[in-house]
């Protein structure tokens, strides 16, 4: 999540950025108004009668190498027939632009919308959950074969980043201690190709789109992907899946793992790693939220005051889960 100061809409910035794409349709105010901002600013627009999305982030919030690595991974997946979202090149052919604007330096990318509906918006069915798990298994199989030219960062980089955040004077020392223990535990884990590779990191029901007619899934938002243990994606996906309304008699976890195993082995060793993966997810999320709350915009509208309260509550919940007491 970005610092709170970056969570305000900026239609002028979006319009300026879209001047770099060869649009053949006017930019509609009504479309741009359906923006969303969290870890990026995302603005809808239309190109060749297709729904597309402009993604903007301040350069202070992202590493360019990670963005380039994300785009390379997406192109690799698509070349192997995996239904990842399609990047939309700018007019100069680039997939990622660095824009110096009156609002500062920004990274800009654009993507075509994927077909289907987010899993989180649909009533769960056996076919859907099975396809969801199978899609992750296929992703991990392809990841294990991926040889990047521009590697994304890995779990050690993410932990170093989080440690710097948690070293601040107003950060709770017990969270920094928990991070140190986690890092020591992760060093003991094996990194064989069947266990470790480039994970999606956010393979949750809002980023997986289900096509009811074909019983297949398309996947978006590879922004947070990093080198980690594949068990992390499984832990993250199952945790978020089981928070959705599950029809009586539907064993969502079993169906998801059965779908995963259709494409890739899920071993007892991978299952045993899940508690450590949960610790990583929690501690990394804590650091990201803590950093976002260090931002104090000059004026905070009611929605931002409410969001700040929700994020502070989220920090307390994570701290309780990680540290107890």
């Amino acid at each position: 999540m970005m610092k709170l100061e970056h969570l305000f809409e900026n239609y002028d910035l979006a319009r300026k950025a879209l001047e770099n794409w060869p649009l053949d349709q006017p930019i509609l105010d009504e479309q741009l108004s359906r923006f969303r901002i969290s870890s990026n600013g995302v603005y809808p627009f239309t190109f060749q009668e297709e729904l597309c999305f402009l993604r903007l982030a301040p350069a202070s919030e992202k590493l360019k190498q990670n963005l380039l690595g994300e785009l390379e991974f997406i192109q690799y997946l698509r070349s192997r027939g995996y239904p990842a979202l399609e990047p939309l090149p700018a007019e100069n052919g680039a997939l990622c632009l660095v824009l110096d604007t009156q609002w500062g330096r920004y990274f800009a990318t654009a993507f075509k919308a994927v077909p289907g509906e987010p899993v989180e918006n649909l009533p769960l069915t056996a076919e859907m959950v099975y396809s969801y798990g199978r899609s992750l298994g296929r992703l991990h199989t392809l990841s294990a074969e991926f040889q990047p030219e521009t590697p994304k960062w890995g779990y050690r980089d993410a932990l170093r980043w989080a440690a710097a955040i948690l070293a601040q004077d107003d950060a709770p020392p017990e969270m920094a201690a928990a991070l140190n223990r986690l890092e020591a535990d992760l060093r003991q884990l094996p990194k064989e190709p069947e266990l470790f590779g480039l994970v999606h990191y956010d393979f949750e029901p809002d980023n997986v789109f289900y096509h009811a007619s074909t019983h297949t899934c398309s996947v978006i938002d590879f922004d947070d992907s990093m080198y980690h243990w594949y068990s992390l994606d499984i832990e993250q996906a199952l945790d978020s899946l089981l928070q959705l309304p599950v029809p009586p008699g539907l064993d969502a976890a079993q169906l998801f793992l059965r779908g995963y195993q259709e494409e890739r082995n899920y071993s007892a060793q991978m299952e045993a790693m899940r508690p450590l993966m949960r610790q990583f997810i929690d501690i990394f999320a804590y650091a990201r939220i803590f950093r976002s709350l260090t931002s104090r915009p000059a004026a905070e509208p009611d929605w931002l005051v409410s969001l700040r309260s929700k994020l502070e509550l989220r920090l307390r919940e994570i701290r309780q889960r990680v540290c107890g007491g």
Side-chain angles (χ1 to χ4, degrees):
M1 183 171 189
M2 295 192 291
K3 288 188 174 183
L4 298 187
E5 66 196 67
H6 299 306
L7 299 188
F8 294 87
E9 74 275 9
N10 190 333
Y11 300 134
D12 290 337
L13 171 61
R15 288 181 177 278
K16 189 69 176 175
L18 283 171
E19 290 177 1
N20 294 280
W21 271 265
L23 306 184
D24 58 0
Q25 301 222 3
I27 304 168
L28 302 177
D29 292 341
E30 189 274 332
Q31 277 191 316
L32 290 181
S33 70
R34 298 200 296 272
F35 72 94
R36 60 178 178 83
I37 304 179
S38 179
S39 58
N40 297 281
V42 179
Y43 294 87
F45 66 97
T46 301
F47 174 62
Q48 294 181 346
E49 300 184 355
E50 289 188 60
L51 178 62
C52 301
F53 296 93
L54 170 71
R55 193 179 72 182
L56 291 168
S60 60
E61 296 285 334
K62 303 290 180 179
L63 296 175
K64 187 176 182 181
Q65 178 175 329
N66 278 344
L67 295 176
L68 296 177
E70 172 199 12
L71 291 164
E72 184 184 356
F73 187 45
I74 289 172
Q75 289 179 298
Y76 160 79
L77 292 173
R78 290 182 55 81
S79 74
R80 299 300 188 274
Y82 189 83
L85 75 173
E86 180 181 353
L88 181 64
E91 203 158 26
N92 65 1
L95 296 180
C96 178
L97 298 181
V98 182
L99 304 178
D100 288 307
T101 75
Q102 68 186 79
W103 304 279
R105 175 168 287 187
Y106 278 78
F107 293 122
T109 51
F111 301 91
K112 294 182 179 181
V114 299
E117 292 290 333
V119 169
E120 70 170 1
N121 293 348
L122 297 169
L124 292 184
T125 65
E127 293 82 2
M128 183 192 307
V129 176
Y130 179 83
S131 176
Y132 184 16
R134 187 172 184 180
S135 180
L136 182 57
R138 177 65 176 155
L139 176 64
H140 287 171
T141 294
L142 291 171
S143 172
E145 302 167 357
F146 181 48
Q147 299 293 325
E149 293 183 9
T150 307
K152 293 202 71 173
W153 73 346
Y155 79 97
R156 288 180 179 172
D157 304 299
L159 285 177
R160 279 193 291 269
W161 178 89
I165 301 298
L166 298 177
Q168 298 179 38
D169 291 340
D170 53 345
E174 60 267 31
M175 289 300 295
L179 184 149
N180 291 334
R181 291 193 299 272
L182 171 65
E183 187 171 19
D185 289 339
L186 291 175
R187 281 200 296 267
Q188 307 305 312
L189 295 184
K191 294 182 182 176
E192 285 84 358
E194 65 269 20
L195 300 173
F196 187 91
L198 188 57
V199 304
H200 185 282
Y201 199 90
D202 200 10
F203 204 84
E204 298 188 359
D206 59 332
N207 290 326
V208 180
F209 285 60
Y210 181 66
H211 322 161
S213 60
T214 61
H215 305 299
T216 58
C217 294
S218 294
V219 183
I220 68 168
D221 200 359
F222 289 76
D223 186 32
D224 288 333
S225 55
M226 69 175 71
Y227 284 89
H228 215 298
W229 286 269
Y230 294 124
S231 291
L232 183 139
D233 271 348
I234 293 170
E235 169 61 27
Q236 190 99 309
L238 282 176
D239 179 71
S240 56
L241 176 64
L242 297 179
Q243 293 180 37
L244 299 177
V246 178
L250 182 69
D251 190 334
Q254 184 184 53
L255 282 167
F256 179 91
L257 291 175
R258 187 185 302 166
Y260 184 92
Q261 289 177 304
E262 180 71 20
E263 298 288 343
R264 187 170 182 81
N265 181 47
Y266 180 63
S267 64
Q269 193 174 23
M270 294 174 70
E271 174 68 20
M273 291 179 183
R274 283 180 55 189
L276 275 183
M277 299 303 104
R278 173 48 50 190
Q279 288 182 42
F280 184 98
I281 292 164
D282 281 343
I283 293 172
F284 189 52
Y286 188 98
R288 296 173 83 174
I289 297 170
F290 186 89
R291 177 182 178 274
S292 73
L293 291 174
T294 61
S295 171
R296 285 281 180 181
E300 292 197 357
D302 290 344
W303 66 263
L304 189 54
V305 172
S306 175
L307 176 61
R308 184 182 291 279
S309 296
K310 291 178 181 177
L311 292 175
E312 289 171 345
L313 175 60
R314 176 72 173 142
L315 287 184
R316 291 194 294 271
E317 291 172 345
I318 294 174
R319 185 174 169 185
Q320 171 71 24
R321 185 162 59 246
V322 171
C323 303

